[in-house]
Amino acid sequence: GFIGGTLLAALGRAGIPTLAPSSLELDLTGEDAGPRLAAMLRPTDAVVLLAALTPDKGRGVVPFLKNLQMAAGVGAALEKATPAHVVYFGSDAVYPLEVGLISEESCAEPADLYGVMHLAREVMVKSAAKAPVAVLRSTLVYGAGDTHNSYGPNRLRRMARKEGRIALFGEGEETRDHILVDVAAALALLVLRHRSAGLLNLATGWSISYAELARKIAALFDRSIEIVTTTRQNPITHRHFDITTLRKAFPTFVFTPLEEGLAKAHREMLERE
């Protein structure tokens, strides 16, 4: 997957051996997923659960139940085998949009099945594991290799490339935090190296409006990109992160500035074409 592939590359550069079975090699929704995964695990292993059907695959009951099945398979394996560390890669979708400032102390009150799924899977993994468990709740991740095309840098960049324009929801008033996939993977690698346990939000602490984000993306092109506003269909919401916990955990970590991350994703997009 998008994040998993980047994390695998980071682990490879660090000289850490990995095992990343595909869904064909290990179907986590299968009835035998638990025993099959347990047979792969060694006591010195760290297990990172990234597998999920994301909202672009659907937001209904069917993907919701399949995602829970995946966690059930992993949970069955963790009850049978005891690795050294477990990392669950989740989502900030567990937090309500009505709360403007998010920290690890914020109450998780998901507003849709996708958020409920991630919260349920967090509990399932923590209940099954006997090893230390780290739960990473990530904000919106961007990068050239993203396949989800959610409303953010990835979609805006592709619209600009394909259509010569960027269409915003309303006037792009919403503010969101966006994290480069390389940064998310680097933080996950730190969590693995330290065998960290507990809850950590993966965010930069800096939010930007979609209107400003669109202007930054448009400026990366060598032709004029039109920014179009539309009739607003949803209420304006804002999300900001207090990253005090992250700073305390990894005080020397340096974030890639948004402008630099957007430029990197833009270059890589052009190289892939």
Side-chain angles (χ1 to χ4, degrees), residues 2-42:
F2 174 46
I3 297 172
T6 306
L7 178 57
L8 275 177
L11 289 163
R13 289 191 297 271
I16 299 172
T18 58
L19 179 65
S22 69
S23 57
L24 293 176
E25 297 166 317
L26 177 64
D27 180 3
L28 289 178
T29 64
E31 292 184 4
D32 62 344
R36 290 187 63 197
L37 177 55
M40 298 178 181
L41 298 179
R42 300 177 300 186

Side-chain angles (χ1 to χ4, degrees), residues 142 180 220 255-267:
Y142 71 94
L180 181 65
L220 294 169
F255 284 92
T256 301
L258 179 64
E259 291 79 2
E260 186 178 324
L262 292 175
K264 180 179 186 293
H266 184 77
R267 289 194 306 272

